[in-house]
Amino acid sequence: MEPDQRKRSIDERKTYARQRISSLLTSAHYTDIPFKIVLDHGDIIAVTCALVERFSIDLIVAGSHGRHGLHKLLSPSMDEAIACAAVCPSLLIGPNASIDPQAELHLQRILLPTDFSPESRRAFDYAFALAKAYGAHLCIVHVAEDVWNEPLSTKMSADAFCRARLLEVGLPQSEQDVAAEFLVEFGPPESLILEMAENRAVQLIIVGVPQTSHPHLSSRLPGPLAYNLASHALCPVLAVRSAVRQK
């Protein structure tokens, strides 16, 4: 494509995108909400990460289409790749999650799955901060696929076991004014977390995601847990990268 043709094509796409976004923002749902429309082109991950830095964005909100298997390989998940690459957390909204946009948000129950890795500290920080801000009950759950991987958990209460492991790796065990509950489950992590979230009517799942130097490749492969949970959960999933920006 010639440079002039390419420029015209980009301009046309930007005009169309601006019209679509403007029409969506005329809804009564967005009254009195300040906004800025930014249109750019290029690699979506690089552009998004650059915009996060440029505007000091604190949160990315992305819809998750929930593709898996061959469909995901052929049409990768950009929301997953962005969550793994961006320095701020990403709120992933899956196809089964819904909320009334006119209703005031009240977080009452938050679920935080953990593997006790030191890299999950940022997820803990956000979980405690949100639980404190909303007066929400925080449920911290460790899911082990094999009971023999965590033999001590069969001899101790879940609370004592989790607190001991958190102390061992230097993760926070509690926060003032936060009601935290510790649970240990055995079995497939994804299905158990989804079942627990549904049974407890959880309104937010917080998951730590590892850093990756190849977000495009990651978006075509199975996982990570945050994306898989968002694909099926009835509530949003907050994906917190291990190296989230310091405030």
Side-chain angles (χ1 to χ4, degrees), residues 185-205:
E185 299 287 346
F186 298 98
E190 181 182 329
S191 59
L192 284 175
I193 293 169
L194 288 171
E195 181 181 347
M196 183 178 298
E198 182 174 357
N199 291 341
R200 291 173 172 260
V202 166
Q203 290 141 329
L204 180 67
I205 301 173

Side-chain angles (χ1 to χ4, degrees), residues 21-79:
I21 294 173
S22 298
S23 65
L24 289 173
L25 294 176
T26 58
S27 169
H29 299 326
Y30 303 102
T31 304
D32 299 328
I33 297 179
F35 64 88
K36 181 180 182 68
I37 299 177
V38 179
L39 300 176
D40 208 332
H41 66 280
D43 179 82
I44 186 170
I45 299 175
V47 169
T48 301
C49 291
L51 291 175
V52 167
E53 291 289 347
R54 177 183 172 188
F55 294 104
S56 298
I57 300 298
D58 296 306
L59 179 68
I60 297 172
V61 181
S64 180
H65 48 52
R67 295 192 183 103
H68 291 85
L70 182 60
H71 292 291
K72 184 180 180 184
L73 181 63
L74 297 176
S75 182
S77 170
M78 289 298 100
D79 53 299

Side-chain angles (χ1 to χ4, degrees), residues 10-22 39:
I10 292 175
D11 290 341
E12 289 173 359
R13 288 174 180 269
K14 285 185 175 181
T15 299
Y16 175 73
R18 186 179 296 276
Q19 292 173 345
R20 289 291 305 274
I21 294 173
S22 298
L39 300 176

